[in-house]
Structures are given as C-alpha cells and as structure tokens.
Amino acid sequence: MELILSATPATEIEAGALVVIGFEDQDPLFLSEEALAWLKATRESGEFDAKPLSTVLWHRPAGLKAQRLLVIGAGPKAKCDTALMRRIAGAAVRALKPKGVAELAFRVEGDLASEAIIEALAEGAVLGDFEPNKHQTDPKKHEKRIENVRFSVPEESIPLVEALRRGRTVGEAQNYTRALANEPANLLTPQKMAEEAKALAAGFGLECEILDEDRMRQLGMGALLGVAQGSAERPALIVLKYVPAEKPASEDHLALVGKGVTFDTGGVSIKPSDGMEKMKYDMSGAAAVLGAMRALAQLKPRIPVTAYAPCVENMVSSRAQRPGDIVTSYLGKTIEVLNTDAEGRLILADALTYAVRQGATHLVDAATLTGAIAVALAHLRVGVFSNNEELQARVLKASEAAGERMWALPMDEEYNELLKSAFADLANIGGRYGGAITAAKFLEPFVDGKPWVHLDIAGTAWLDEGKPFLAKGPTGVPVRSFVRLAMEW
Ligand code: BES
Ligand code: ZN
Ligand code: ZN
C-alpha cells in the first residue's frame, strides 16, 4: 500500500473513494455544494449521526471527481485525538477494501492537517490494511487490495511528509509483528525466529547475534534450557542491536526483552486442549521487540537500543522438564519448577540477566506471561510492573501518547513470600492469587537492581473478534509504546 501526500482539493480528487471526517458539531468544510447538501440530508434523516466510526457512503457524488464519498464520524470535535484518528483511518480502509476500492483519498483540512494527525491517519490506514489470512490459497481472498491512500491537505510541507513516513514506518512495524505472532508454530520455530531476526538486521542495518544452545549451556542459562529441553526444536537467544550514528550525550542503553515461546503446550503441567491453538502467539513479546527494532532502525533514536528475544518451544516429551525439577539460572539463583506452564518467566529470567551483563542500563520486557493479567484488566489494558518509578512513568507516558492502554500494578516486597521454595532459592509459581504480580516479582531479581519495567501483554496481544479498524488476531502491542519510549529518550 502506497501512501501519498498531496494538495489536490477535495472536489478534484480522482479516486475510488474520497473519505472525509464528519464531526457531530462540524461538517467537512471543502466539499462540493451538492455533497454538503447530501450530508445535511443524511444527518436530518438520522442516517448519519457522526458518532465515532459511524459511516455513510454515497456513490457517484455530485460535484466530486471521486467515485464514492465516505463520510466517517468522529464524535464531538473537542474530543478528537490521535487515537481516534488512527481508528478512523483503519475503519475507512476496512470498510472500503471489501467493496473493491483500490485507491482512496482522505481529505484532511483545517487544524486536522497537523503532523500528529497525519501520522496517526497514515498509521491507522496501514494497520487497517493487515489481514491475517496469508495461508488461505483461494485467490479471491486476496484480490481486493488497496493500492494507494492519498492524504489531501491544504498545503504540502516537509514536516507533513515526514509525519506520513513515521506513521507508515510504525504501522508497518506493527504489521510485521502481527504477521509473526500469527504464524503457526510448525512454520515459525525458534530457529526460524532467529533466521527472521537475521534477515531483519540485514534489511534494515542492525547488528544481529544469535546465541545457540551450546553457547547458552556454556554461559549457564539453566532456566531457559530447562524449558527448551522438552522440544526437538533448538532454542535461540536473539540479540538485535541498534547503535546511533552519533555518540549520545548519556550512557543510557535501553534493552527491549520479549518472550518468545513459539508454542506453549504447558509442558508436563499440560494446558487444556480447548483453545490451546492460540498458544502460537506466546511469542508476541519477541515479535514486538523485533517489530520495534524494525521501526527504530528507520527512525533512528538518539540512544542505543538492543533487543533480546529468548525463543523456545514448551513441549511435552520424555526429555521435558518435570514439576519439582530444580534449575540453576544464569544469575546463579536456583529455581524449583513447580509448574512447567510458568515457562515464560524462566526464559525471561536468563534473558534479562544476559541483557544486564551486556550493559543494559534500562530494561523493558514484553511477555504474554499470565492468564491472570486478563482476569485483572480484561483485554483492554497491558499490565505494567516495575522496580523503578521514573522508568515506569516514562513507559506510561509513551504508551499514553501511543494510544496503547496500560495500567500499573503493585510490586510490594511482601509478594515475595509467595514465591518461596522449600528446596531452592525461588519457586516459579506463587499460588492461587495475584498471579500476574507474582510472575512480575519472580522476574525482578534477575535484573539485578537495574531500572526495569515488565509489560504483561497476555490479555492484549490477541483480538478474539475483529474491530471495524483492526482485523481479528494479533494486535502488535506494545510496538508503538516501545518506539515512542526510545524516540523520546
Ligand atoms: N503463555 C501463558 C500465559 C497466557 C495465558 C498467555 C493466556 C496468553 C493467554 C503462560 O506461559 C502460562 O501458562 N502462565 C500460567 C502461569 C501459571 C502456571 C502460574 C497461567 O497464566 O496460567
Ligand atoms: Zn505457560
Ligand atoms: Zn507461555
């Protein structure tokens, strides 16, 4: 999908569809007289109320060169923000694509023609275009495509072109993450993830290193290897590095760490078979750090950023780890594996320690870590846990600006009681209550006191039902927040 900025007036735009934004309290300004009269009539008849994401479509609109006019509602003008604009663009793309519209144009006028809004619209259009059906072979399922999206603004400018580019870059990065998260586990193994990371590095000018099983054994990553041992698929610890061209003013080095369980059966503590197929998305954290690096390689933040993605498959076999096994982590702490389904924290423990020892000064991880986070926050907000108020505030601010909703949960010292083991330094589960918190508390010692934020995305990385602006399936969370955080450092 091509994105183009132009200053063609609304009445002159030739496209399959012209999309304009209608507020409850303000009609589009620069349409043909006939179109404005039509819009007035649809409002008076109650067919269009301009509520957010409501639409009304007119074929062969009089006084316009476009073949269709789509007016999309945006609620009251005062409540309009970038999050809504992202959705509006996505909803327009998803409404018009099935109709066979190949070229569409958004008319953006008045104070909407700002960098922030153009960026959000461009990003939303790219996100709306994603379909999770690449494995369906019927050509009919793929023939309707949006070739290009034009953004018509009163005046072209370099800042607006840049904003369009940023929106496209971050949107494409999220779609990349979504595509990875959606791949089935037979096609996307830990080794394939590593290949993917290498290809990404080669394509976008990043440094890439893969730690294989032997290297991890040499280093003593017993927690990660304990999970991996049940699978015939070899594990990989992916390291992707972005180094800024100019030496940064500070010594800060941001690490993004993502859980990469390419499939989670639960291991010997096996999951119920109902819905188990969804556990292919248990590598969404890893996919998100790869996607974030893809965007950062293009947007070039001031600080160095390194991504770490521990990738394993959690399987059941005669070699699988058992409940009660005691493993020694890379940090040296011993862990009693009371439940083999609490595997994400085991692989993250070693990856976090590795990131610290490689020189990370600040760490943010993303992981589909617990079902308990969805019990606490439903599928709306990402759970945030931290050992450092300042970094937590930075992450929350970035997520707010990025329109990815998050919510901080407590990390009181007393929760550590729940993770006590009679036989090792730590147990890998914390009992019946507060499961998302005890999972975060489990991770905490492995960052060795460095400022760290843990994002539990188990409830938000997957959409069970599509939205008007987003297809069913992987969401790409928290790529946008990662990118903002690094760009605003
Ligand atoms: N991958 C799961 C968490 C998960 C659940 C992700 C639902 C997405 C949707 C994780 O490895 C897991 O199984 N966690 C257990 C922890 C428990 C054994 C303490 C859980 O949440 O049940
Ligand atoms: Zn699990
Ligand atoms: Zn898991």
Side-chain angles (χ1 to χ4, degrees):
M1 191 168 83
E2 286 266 349
L3 302 182
I4 308 149
L5 191 81
S6 84
T8 319
T11 48
E12 296 302 312
I13 293 172
E14 293 179 35
L18 171 66
V19 183
V20 299
I21 295 162
F23 292 101
E24 283 174 14
D25 43 3
Q26 183 186 309
D27 274 338
L29 305 170
F30 305 96
L31 278 178
S32 63
E33 298 235 336
E34 296 93 324
L36 286 172
W38 164 78
L39 187 56
K40 187 159 176 272
T42 65
R43 278 182 184 277
E44 283 169 3
S45 71
E47 282 156 80
F48 179 66
D49 58 9
K51 291 269 182 292
L53 307 184
S54 61
T55 57
V56 60
L57 183 70
W58 187 16
H59 275 261
R60 308 264 157 216
L64 299 177
K65 291 193 174 156
Q67 289 163 31
R68 298 170 187 80
L69 174 62
L70 180 79
V71 185
I72 183 156
K77 181 87 200 288
K79 276 200 174 169
C80 155
D81 60 10
T82 52
L84 179 60
M85 287 299 136
R86 193 181 293 110
R87 291 180 169 194
I88 279 182
V93 164
R94 298 195 70 70
L96 293 166
K97 189 162 50 172
K99 299 187 195 297
V101 173
E103 298 191 311
L104 67 94
F106 284 89
R107 175 62 187 178
V108 189
E109 51 195 23
D111 55 358
L112 290 185
S114 69
E115 287 171 58
I117 284 180
I118 291 291
E119 180 177 342
L121 286 171
E123 187 179 302
V126 172
L127 293 174
D129 195 36
F130 177 84
E131 305 293 350
N133 67 348
K134 72 176 251 211
H135 294 296
Q136 292 183 324
T137 59
D138 182 354
K140 281 205 191 72
K141 300 237 177 201
H142 304 278
E143 68 195 8
K144 286 179 178 159
R145 291 191 41 198
I146 303 232
E147 301 295 340
N148 64 63
V149 181
R150 193 144 18 122
F151 294 87
S152 146
V153 291
E155 211 177 323
E156 280 179 62
S157 70
I158 288 173
L160 287 184
V161 172
E162 285 295 308
L164 193 75
R165 187 182 74 96
R166 276 197 306 275
R168 194 189 63 204
T169 301
V170 183
E172 287 174 354
Q174 289 165 84
N175 287 353
Y176 171 80
T177 292
R178 293 162 80 192
L180 284 179
N182 198 40
E183 278 298 84
N186 62 327
L187 302 181
L188 191 60
T189 59
Q191 289 304 316
K192 286 272 169 56
M193 284 286 283
E195 293 302 317
E196 193 55 57
K198 282 191 222 160
L200 187 68
F204 290 89
L206 297 164
E207 290 171 27
C208 181
E209 194 194 340
I210 309 293
L211 279 69
D212 64 11
E213 194 180 356
D214 289 344
R215 181 71 187 129
M216 291 191 266
R217 185 154 294 118
Q218 272 172 5
L219 292 171
M221 296 186 168
L224 187 156
L225 291 171
V227 178
Q229 77 188 31
S231 173
E233 297 296 339
R234 300 297 87 213
L237 175 53
I238 297 168
V239 183
L240 265 180
K241 204 171 277 186
Y242 160 80
V243 185
E246 258 178 61
K247 195 177 156 20
S250 78
E251 296 293 307
D252 292 353
H253 191 141
L254 178 63
L256 303 176
V257 184
K259 170 178 171 181
V261 176
T262 59
F263 197 78
D264 184 10
T265 63
V268 170
S269 315
I270 197 162
K271 287 182 180 296
S273 52
D274 227 23
M276 203 203 270
E277 70 282 355
K278 268 177 65 185
M279 282 302 118
K280 67 177 182 180
Y281 88 89
D282 211 18
M283 35 58 75
S284 294
V289 303
L290 263 55
M293 294 307 284
R294 187 187 199 268
L296 292 175
Q298 298 166 79
L299 299 175
K300 306 197 185 305
R302 285 189 294 264
I303 50 152
V305 184
T306 305
Y308 298 88
C311 295
V312 303
E313 191 181 46
N314 190 23
M315 297 295 274
V316 207
S317 79
S318 66
R319 298 188 356 156
Q321 99 181 320
R322 295 139 291 246
D325 282 5
I326 294 178
V327 294
T328 302
S329 64
Y330 182 37
L331 184 69
K333 275 190 192 297
T334 57
I335 303 163
E336 186 183 12
V337 181
L338 289 177
N339 189 316
T340 63
D341 196 11
E343 84 298 340
R345 62 197 76 182
L346 295 170
I347 68 167
L348 283 171
D350 283 348
L352 289 167
T353 303
Y354 187 70
V356 169
R357 292 188 180 169
Q358 289 292 302
T361 61
H362 298 74
L363 301 96
V364 185
D365 79 71
T368 47
L369 206 62
T370 68
I373 198 62
V375 175
L377 302 175
H379 299 289
L380 194 64
R381 285 184 186 253
V382 172
V384 179
F385 304 84
S386 181
N387 63 355
N388 184 284
E389 275 180 29
E390 196 191 325
L391 184 61
Q392 175 170 294
R394 261 171 127 146
V395 170
L396 288 172
K397 184 166 163 264
S399 75
E400 180 84 27
E404 289 180 323
R405 276 179 281 192
M406 302 198 176
W407 195 258
L409 284 105
M411 287 283 275
D412 304 86
E413 172 67 34
E414 286 85 341
Y415 288 111
N416 285 322
E417 296 293 315
L418 299 170
L419 289 164
K420 283 201 167 143
S421 158
F423 311 111
D425 298 336
L426 212 57
N428 81 326
I429 54 170
R432 192 163 148 71
Y433 299 108
I437 302 171
T438 50
K441 289 304 280 185
F442 177 91
L443 295 175
E444 189 173 14
F446 298 96
V447 297
D448 219 8
K450 289 279 182 299
W452 154 77
V453 170
H454 158 59
L455 304 175
D456 194 335
I457 59 170
T460 44
W462 189 270
L463 260 185
D464 277 327
E465 271 175 57
K467 306 256 189 206
F469 48 88
L470 212 62
K472 165 195 170 93
T475 60
V477 88
V479 169
R480 290 207 294 271
S481 302
F482 277 161
V483 171
R484 283 258 168 191
L485 179 70
M487 294 309 293
E488 279 165 16
W489 205 277

